[in-house]
Amino acid sequence: ADYLDDVLFAWVDAQKASSRLPFVLIVPTAGLFLIGLFLQKFPQSRIGGVREVVESLQHHRGIVPMVRMLNVIMSGLVLAVGGSVGPEGPMVQLGALVGSQCGQFFRLSRRQLETLVRAGAAAGISSAFRSPAGGVLLTLEIFGARFNRDLTAVAIAAGIGYLVRTSILGDAYPFRPTVELDALPTFTMLVLVPLMGVLAAVAGHFFIWMFNRWKTVLPGSWPLWLRVTVGGAMVGTIGIWFPQVLSAGYSTIRQGVAGEIGFELFVVLLLMKMLATSITFGSGAVGGLFAPTLVIGALFGGAFGYGVKAILPGAIPQPALFVLLGMVVMFGSIVKGYWSGLLMVADMSGAYHQLLLPGVIAGGISYLISWELHDKSIFGMSLDPAGQAEEQRAERMDEPSVAARGSR
């Protein structure tokens, strides 16, 4: 599905709007019509993705049923026909499914089974993002892993997943800049990079609001197949003029890093990608959210970088760096994956030295402010509920002592 996405994007993008009109309308509409029929006929195929893996760990002792394979297949088909989804969520689901099934076959203990589920998820993440370190960190930030002996198995699985993917496809650095990036000026690091983090938190909040709002736009009284079909037609209509919003959209990131997109188009595509993603999921289709988040981040970063460059040319000599930085800040704001987003983008671009310091600053600011704006990630989950519970218990324990001190 990911390969088909790249092939279709290259062909559609090369056509004029009038020439691609029949294709971008018929393929998403007809494809999602058939997918919608299947989703309605088999409700179990709607359940899957990152949230399902987390719930299996928190509430089902790490048991991921084999029927979740239906969701993986449907997600890949939505991606193939142009829905604004990504391949990473299904890959996480598939990795967790394999880990869970192996653990159940060998009758492992609950702790060992949960470790295998996290290891499978990490393998899926690292192969999808070409980032073993990012895969490990994402299991820490989202899937409840801890810095203990079990994390070793997670890391080994992530490393193997990365090696298998890159040895077969050879695309270890999909977003490598076409020119060598220089370090940012001090003024940019101290003023503009923090400002970008603040704006990214607001933009991420806006996207989450739009994403949730579209869940109620299409009438719930409509059958699921009709809602999914209408969603496909709407996304296809956007694709007539902006084919970059179709499917995962990684080609758009590569174009942005190569300097082939200007400020105005960055802004328009940012809004259109947010809309297309919200429509796709709001209609009831299934798929991964990591890729749309990264594309939205890259478009946000490009709009910020080129916008500031027009006003202060010396402050941002290479806007391509901000395309990469945008993915970091938006991943932290929307997914709540601050450290994992930073490492994944650095791994996919190879721009470690240029990206890590501004990523730590802007990503951290975006991440912290995002919690004040929305207390859950795009998946509808709070981060580290166990840690939050511990903090609440500590606060309750402190209350009597504070009162006692006040009485004295």
Side-chain angles (χ1 to χ4, degrees), residues 195-228:
L195 175 62
M196 183 182 187
V198 173
L199 296 178
V202 176
H205 178 64
F206 173 72
F207 171 60
I208 290 179
W209 172 84
M210 180 189 293
F211 183 87
N212 291 324
R213 180 69 182 86
W214 267 94
K215 293 178 181 178
T216 60
V217 170
L218 298 179
S221 58
W222 290 6
L224 177 62
W225 68 264
L226 179 58
R227 281 182 277 135
V228 174

Side-chain angles (χ1 to χ4, degrees), residues 104-105 111 122 127 136 141 192 215 259 273 306 358 395 405:
Q104 293 176 64
F105 179 80
R111 175 177 172 178
S127 62
V136 174
E141 291 185 305
L192 297 180
K215 293 178 181 178
K273 186 63 177 178
Y306 280 94
E395 290 174 358
R405 285 196 297 270

Side-chain angles (χ1 to χ4, degrees), residues 26-36 77 81 228:
I26 293 174
V27 172
T29 304
L32 285 169
F33 163 70
L34 296 174
I35 292 169
L77 291 176
V81 300
V228 174

Side-chain angles (χ1 to χ4, degrees), residues 187-188 191-192 305-317:
F187 170 79
T188 304
V191 178
L192 297 180
Y306 280 94
V308 174
K309 182 177 175 62
I311 303 172
L312 301 171
I316 301 183

